[in-house]
Amino acid sequence: VHGEHQNIPFSMSIIGFREVIPADAAEVRTFSFGANMSVESLKNRGIDCIRQERGKLLNHRLVFNVGGPTKLEGDVRYGNVEESEGSVVHGVVNWMTPHAIATLDNMEGPAYDRVSREIELYNGERLSALIFVQSQSYAKYPLAEGLPSKRYLKLLIHGARRANLDALWIESLEQHSFIGMPTLTLTTEHQHQLAARTFDSSDFDRPTHAVINNNPEGIDSEQLFALQGVVLRALPALDPFFRKLFFGDVTLLMCGFVSYDPKPSTVAEATPDQLDFLQGTLQQLLSQGCCEIVGHCLPCPFLLKN
């Protein structure tokens, strides 16, 4: 899952070029064409906007060619821009404090450049703003054009609608192809594993730092967590990004990744898209060999009644 979802910085060293911000700058302009168009998404990560204006990045086109840090949503791609004469990318200019930019720096992918580009506001005014763009491939972060996830594309559509961007631009996003999450399929063996044990929260609610500090390699055969009532044991194949997150009941945490919908306080308040993401996540964890089912905790909607 890409860095736009949670208040979690990337641990990797920055390898992209980051343009220097003057030390006396009171505020900094950034042009956002992806997840950062959403004020709500930024606020969820502790980043406040001073103000926002609609604008266009001229002679560039939107492409989906940046890989994510995990394969939880499949082989999906995230938004980027590349030069294209006569094309435009619609988005918003965010005015932020230098502190907010520093926070954003730590959450964007390490291969992104942060560079100035000329933006034309909808009122015709032109100004410069910083954009995050991956301009070249790296061995660990290759560029390859593909399709976005359904969740990520809807985040862009939501941000574009909330910002009241150009109607034709929104329509082009709505018509773009995407990769959806897989349908959850629990086998007879999965059902036996679910029924094998009933857990309560004290059985799997362990502090993250205890496992990370005691196990530098991040592998703990007894790292247990719950997702929509299914209790799972983390296996060595679980991505380190999620190994640091998956403790206790992670249902509401994962709902928060569908950040264009309000984060629910209970699973009963989860939206259809959030439930779809939860069940797709569960299917991916099982099919990719990242976790195994060891029981259930109540309520569990997948537990068959005798």
Side-chain angles (χ1 to χ4, degrees), residues 2-6 30-45 47-49 51-53 79 91-96 100-101 103-105 107-109 112 130-133 152 155-156 158-160 163 259:
H2 209 231
E4 91 279 356
H5 314 302
Q6 297 291 326
T30 67
F31 179 73
S32 301
F33 52 87
N36 293 334
M37 286 189 296
S38 168
V39 173
E40 293 87 351
S41 178
L42 289 170
K43 186 169 291 188
N44 286 341
R45 292 184 282 160
I47 301 171
D48 291 320
C49 291
R51 67 188 181 98
Q52 194 177 71
E53 294 280 350
V92 297
V93 177
N94 294 314
W95 277 257
M96 302 178 177
I101 294 294
T103 303
L104 195 58
D105 260 346
M107 293 179 184
E108 293 295 335
Y112 280 110
L130 296 171
I131 65 170
F132 285 91
V133 56
Y152 180 73
L155 182 63
L156 268 59
H158 173 85
S259 56

Side-chain angles (χ1 to χ4, degrees), residues 22-93:
D24 59 349
E27 58 184 34
V28 183
R29 295 185 295 265
T30 67
F31 179 73
S32 301
F33 52 87
N36 293 334
M37 286 189 296
S38 168
V39 173
E40 293 87 351
S41 178
L42 289 170
K43 186 169 291 188
N44 286 341
R45 292 184 282 160
I47 301 171
D48 291 320
C49 291
I50 299 170
R51 67 188 181 98
Q52 194 177 71
E53 294 280 350
R54 298 173 297 167
K56 299 178 289 186
L57 174 62
L58 304 178
N59 298 315
H60 285 74
R61 73 182 186 104
L62 175 66
V63 292
F64 296 96
N65 65 358
V66 177
T70 79
K71 295 299 183 183
L72 185 65
E73 296 180 276
D75 189 20
V76 299
R77 301 291 160 179
Y78 292 87
N80 199 11
V81 295
E82 62 182 22
E83 292 184 2
S84 176
E85 188 68 28
S87 300
V88 296
V89 176
H90 291 257
V92 297
V93 177

Side-chain angles (χ1 to χ4, degrees), residues 121-185:
L121 299 182
Y122 275 22
N123 63 12
E125 179 186 354
R126 294 200 176 192
L127 47 76
S128 66
L130 296 171
I131 65 170
F132 285 91
V133 56
Q134 185 175 337
S135 57
Q136 61 179 305
S137 284
Y138 298 90
K140 195 174 179 180
Y141 308 102
L143 293 175
E145 196 158 349
L147 294 177
S149 68
K150 173 185 175 182
R151 178 198 57 78
Y152 180 73
L153 185 61
K154 290 193 74 169
L155 182 63
L156 268 59
I157 294 169
H158 173 85
R161 287 174 179 165
R162 291 293 297 269
N164 196 26
L165 296 187
D166 178 79
L168 292 178
W169 176 256
I170 295 174
E171 183 179 343
S172 71
L173 293 176
E174 292 172 335
Q175 294 177 352
H176 202 287
S177 299
F178 59 82
I179 296 175
M181 291 292 271
T183 301
L184 176 61
T185 303

